[in-house]
Amino acid sequence: MKTSCMTSTSKNSDEALVAATKLGDTLAFEELVLRHKQRVFAVAQRITNNREDAEDVAQESFHKAFLHLDAFQEKSRFSTWLTRIAMNEAFMLLRRRRGFLEVLPESPDDGVESGSEHSLTGTPIPKSPAGGASVRNS
């Protein structure tokens, strides 16, 4: 006789653990995390090239998987679905970072004509005849 109790979750398939999690068994999801944490971390590490970022990506991936488990249609393996979530999270992290990066010159003279001052937009500020930067009144 088969029991529905998840006392031995380590012997259950991912499909059985997913089904149990969907029914509210959080221990079943913990087993899924234990099974797949190394793979998720490895994927995140390869994409981000940073241990701390990979840890953040892994945590966020499991969080999203838990929140959206009802949307998992089981047309693929759970591990495939989870890995895809981790990849998307890692790529999103890199995209967000790229948006915040500023390219600054390595030294104050890089890319700047000597003797000229530049505005915040990078355009030269006209100099007054006395040699100083002129103040424009709008």
Side-chain angles (χ1 to χ4, degrees), residues 4-35:
S4 62
C5 183
M6 299 296 287
T7 56
S8 179
T9 55
S10 62
K11 295 179 183 174
N12 292 312
S13 68
D14 282 357
E15 293 81 14
L17 293 170
V18 167
T21 302
K22 286 181 176 183
L23 294 173
D25 186 349
T26 56
L27 291 177
F29 191 76
E30 286 180 31
E31 178 63 29
L32 287 168
V33 171
L34 291 173
R35 283 185 184 184

Side-chain angles (χ1 to χ4, degrees), residues 3-131:
T3 63
S4 62
C5 183
M6 299 296 287
T7 56
S8 179
T9 55
S10 62
K11 295 179 183 174
N12 292 312
S13 68
D14 282 357
E15 293 81 14
L17 293 170
V18 167
T21 302
K22 286 181 176 183
L23 294 173
D25 186 349
T26 56
L27 291 177
F29 191 76
E30 286 180 31
E31 178 63 29
L32 287 168
V33 171
L34 291 173
R35 283 185 184 184
H36 299 287
K37 68 181 179 181
Q38 287 181 332
R39 176 193 294 225
V40 169
F41 177 79
V43 166
Q45 174 78 32
R46 279 192 302 271
I47 294 171
T48 63
N49 240 0
N50 181 292
R51 182 173 182 79
E52 290 82 18
D53 288 344
E55 289 170 353
D56 291 345
V57 164
Q59 182 175 354
E60 187 60 28
S61 298
F62 284 113
H63 182 242
K64 282 197 173 178
F66 184 77
L67 290 177
H68 301 286
L69 195 59
D70 287 336
F72 176 51
Q73 298 173 359
E74 300 176 44
K75 292 179 181 176
S76 63
R77 293 189 328 233
F78 175 77
S79 61
T80 304
W81 182 70
L82 181 61
T83 300
R84 190 70 223 171
I85 292 172
M87 291 171 67
N88 288 340
E89 285 300 311
F91 289 132
M92 285 175 48
L93 178 109
L94 294 178
R95 270 188 235 116
R96 282 192 305 266
R97 289 260 167 85
R98 194 177 329 138
F100 292 121
L101 290 179
E102 287 185 36
V103 179
L104 298 175
E106 290 183 23
S107 71
D109 294 331
D110 285 351
V112 178
E113 296 173 21
S114 62
S116 67
E117 296 180 35
H118 287 67
S119 70
L120 293 176
T121 62
T123 58
I125 298 173
K127 296 199 180 236
S128 68

